[in-house]
Amino acid sequence: QVQLVESGGGLVQPGGSLRLSCAASGSIFSINAMNWYRQSPGKQRELVAGITSDGRTNHADSVKGRFTISRDNAKNTVYLQMNSLKPEDTAVYYCNADIYVVAKLYVETWGQGTQVTVSS
């Protein structure tokens, strides 16, 4: 079995920072891209940022300059550094990856989500 587990969410004031982590575990052969999504009440789940296995990144326009995605391949972990947080960043944040259990077989995997609340 393979799984993703997020951590690091919480309540912060506008302008504050949080660092989210998502660790993959199980019978992992490899992981290509890892992604962060978020979903707030009444809105669709949206892609926040993604990172390839060799470190190429993309960030949604709404978070560019404030959020930074990174990964530690040795630990099978992806991070999301969130700075200058705004109330509109409030959401449940989910990590996602296609985890290869053997060379040519992968499992689309989602974490359980971690709540981020930005409020004064």
Side-chain angles (χ1 to χ4, degrees):
Q1 286 280 51
V2 293
Q3 64 178 6
L4 296 168
V5 179
E6 302 100 334
S7 62
L11 174 64
V12 296
Q13 295 184 342
S17 297
L18 285 173
R19 184 175 176 86
L20 306 183
S21 299
C22 176
S25 62
S27 57
I28 300 169
F29 177 79
S30 67
I31 306 173
N32 289 335
M34 301 185 78
N35 309 292
W36 284 99
Y37 287 78
R38 67 185 181 187
Q39 187 167 26
S40 57
K43 294 186 177 182
Q44 299 179 24
R45 186 170 297 188
E46 65 173 337
L47 177 65
V48 177
I51 184 167
T52 64
S53 60
D54 62 352
R56 290 179 287 115
T57 65
N58 68 280
H59 298 80
D61 288 342
S62 60
V63 305
K64 284 182 178 177
R66 300 187 299 118
F67 293 8
T68 303
I69 189 170
S70 62
R71 66 192 287 170
D72 184 337
N73 289 336
K75 297 181 178 180
N76 291 318
T77 299
V78 61
Y79 305 94
L80 187 67
Q81 179 66 47
M82 308 165 67
N83 298 325
S84 301
L85 283 161
K86 304 175 180 179
E88 52 262 43
D89 296 317
T90 296
V92 178
Y93 284 71
Y94 300 88
C95 64
N96 159 265
D98 291 335
I99 302 176
Y100 284 78
V101 296
V102 295
K104 298 181 179 180
L105 179 63
Y106 69 87
V107 179
E108 182 185 12
T109 307
W110 290 85
Q112 82 287 353
T114 185
Q115 177 71 48
V116 172
T117 302
V118 185
S119 177
S120 60

